[in-house]
Amino acid sequence: MTFHPRICRALHIVVLVAVALIVSYIMIRRVGDDPGYLRALISFEGEMPFMRRAAVPLAAAAIYHLLPDSILPGINHSIIDRSGSTFGRTNLAPDEPAMLLCFSIVVAAALIGFGFTLRALSRTLYDDAPRSFHCWVAIVALGAIPFTLQTGATYYDAATLLLFTLALLQLARNNRTGYLLIFALACLNKETAPLLAIPYALYHLSLGTDRRRIAVDLTCQIIIAIAIIGALSWLLRDNPGAALTNQLAHNLRTLKPMPFELLAVWGAIAGFTFAEYSRKPRLLHSAIWMLPPLLLGMIPFGQLEELRIYYEVYPVVVLLMAHSIGRAMQVQVDTASEDAVSEGL
């Protein structure tokens, strides 16, 4: 039995949205639930450096403050289940269930947006592949996210996935204005946003773009990053916590040989990522270079066992793997324009 192509596309979209909603629920449950934590986020009185990642708290605060005060008690009461928990949380302050709902809306919207953006990026890079291929790439990428949350999650994780994927999509479509706008939003969301300058520069160099234009655009990105991150740091200068958290001692303590099973998984990921590398899109060749500085920065300032800290390159690895897996399944995934390079990057 075969379905009409429109019915298949509709079913794929329904599955994509459903998986995104399920993953957003899992992600929300994995975020800490200390009493007062949500109130501190919405009022921007939380600890640094986390409050500098302001995009999601700003969006959640906007939703929360748009709600009439008269209905907040009803919302706080109605979304608490019989066990006294809200989305699996039992340790919230009395006024925080509605705040949690606002954050949940933002996270769910970001994950749905990530799914559709990744599908669009896949279609742009692999324009010969069937439509169903791009949908399943997005669905599988969403479904794999819970496996990266063993050590917990944060509210800005979903926005990181969305904004970095959206920035790469603007690059692929040569949308200069759209890219700079997304770059600014990414800076508002997380300090790692300047990493996007790496694929921007390498990709445009590989295309032979005028170097003066590249220099101007990189200068704009530097100014945007300094202005946004600097302004947030100054505005939140009286918040508790350090500007950066030193995790070097923690990372050195947790270094140990990888179990064989985990080594096999990472080996398979690397194999699919780099197999037939010269046939893969040059944008992905450029974007994978975000990984070395990201890893180097996480050694002193991040916890290396947290897989979510690599979300900046998650869509890149997914699409590199999708090419190899698709070809192994006899799916035509090469681009019609032969958008790949075999040397130089």
Side-chain angles (χ1 to χ4, degrees):
M1 180 179 179
T2 58
F3 293 99
H4 189 279
R6 289 185 178 178
I7 295 177
C8 289
R9 287 197 292 271
L11 288 174
H12 284 141
I13 290 173
V14 169
V15 173
L16 188 154
V17 172
V19 172
L21 291 175
I22 292 170
V23 173
S24 68
Y25 178 73
I26 295 171
M27 186 174 281
I28 286 293
R29 286 176 63 98
R30 298 292 292 167
V31 180
D33 63 349
D34 294 336
Y37 175 60
L38 295 172
R39 192 187 307 111
L41 286 178
I42 282 185
S43 63
F44 282 82
E45 296 174 349
E47 288 192 3
M48 296 288 278
F50 307 105
M51 286 312 308
R52 197 163 52 227
R53 296 147 198 180
V56 172
L58 278 172
I63 296 173
Y64 183 76
H65 290 302
L66 285 173
L67 297 173
D69 292 340
S70 58
I71 69 171
L72 287 177
I75 294 176
N76 286 323
H77 177 74
S78 62
I79 63 176
I80 299 175
D81 63 25
R82 292 180 181 179
S83 67
S85 71
T86 305
F87 304 160
R89 309 299 187 80
T90 58
N91 204 28
L92 296 176
D95 61 340
E96 288 188 312
M99 298 177 186
L100 181 60
L101 179 63
C102 295
F103 276 97
S104 301
I105 291 171
V106 177
V107 170
L111 282 178
I112 292 172
F114 165 67
F116 281 103
T117 303
L118 186 64
R119 185 184 71 154
L121 182 57
S122 179
R123 289 180 63 179
T124 302
L125 296 178
Y126 301 130
D127 53 6
D128 274 359
R131 286 177 176 265
S132 59
F133 172 81
H134 309 299
C135 288
W136 282 112
V137 167
I139 290 167
V140 171
L142 282 165
I145 289 174
F147 296 100
T148 68
L149 301 177
Q150 299 93 332
T151 56
T154 62
Y155 287 112
Y156 55 79
D157 288 337
T160 300
L161 288 167
L162 170 61
L163 293 170
F164 270 73
T165 309
L166 197 52
L168 294 177
L169 180 61
Q170 304 314 304
L171 271 179
R173 292 179 173 177
N174 197 26
N175 185 347
R176 184 185 188 187
T177 303
Y179 170 81
L180 290 176
L181 176 61
I182 300 304
F183 180 84
L185 291 174
C187 289
L188 191 63
N189 182 66
K190 199 176 178 187
E191 308 94 320
T192 54
L195 288 172
L196 286 165
I198 296 173
Y200 184 92
L202 294 179
Y203 182 56
H204 279 288
L205 285 171
S206 74
L207 293 176
T209 304
D210 181 72
R211 296 199 174 198
R212 285 176 296 180
R213 177 188 162 181
I214 296 174
V216 169
D217 287 350
L218 288 176
T219 301
C220 288
Q221 291 172 60
I222 293 171
I223 293 171
I224 290 170
I226 292 174
I228 292 176
I229 298 173
L232 287 171
S233 298
W234 186 81
L235 290 171
L236 302 171
R237 65 192 182 281
D238 294 328
N239 284 45
L244 290 171
T245 54
N246 188 343
Q247 301 288 351
L248 181 59
H250 167 85
N251 289 326
L252 292 176
R253 285 197 306 268
T254 55
L255 283 178
K256 57 184 178 181
M258 251 185 220
F260 174 78
E261 297 82 359
L262 187 57
L263 191 62
V265 170
W266 283 113
I269 291 173
F272 283 122
T273 298
F274 295 105
E276 295 186 300
Y277 194 64
S278 64
R279 300 178 64 96
K280 297 178 180 181
R282 67 181 71 189
L283 176 61
L284 301 181
H285 284 208
S286 302
I288 197 65
W289 282 102
M290 290 189 291
L291 182 58
L294 179 65
L295 182 59
L296 287 173
M298 291 306 169
I299 291 174
F301 302 122
Q303 296 186 14
L304 294 179
E305 72 274 15
E306 290 186 333
L307 297 181
R308 64 176 189 80
I309 67 175
Y310 306 107
Y311 279 170
E312 287 81 353
V313 295
Y314 184 78
V316 181
V317 173
V318 165
L319 291 175
L320 287 169
M321 292 179 63
H323 181 280
S324 300
I325 295 172
R327 285 179 59 82
M329 298 174 66
Q330 305 300 312
V331 177
Q332 174 61 41
V333 293
D334 288 329
T335 60
S337 59
E338 295 296 326
D339 184 20
V341 288
S342 58
E343 73 245 343
L345 292 179

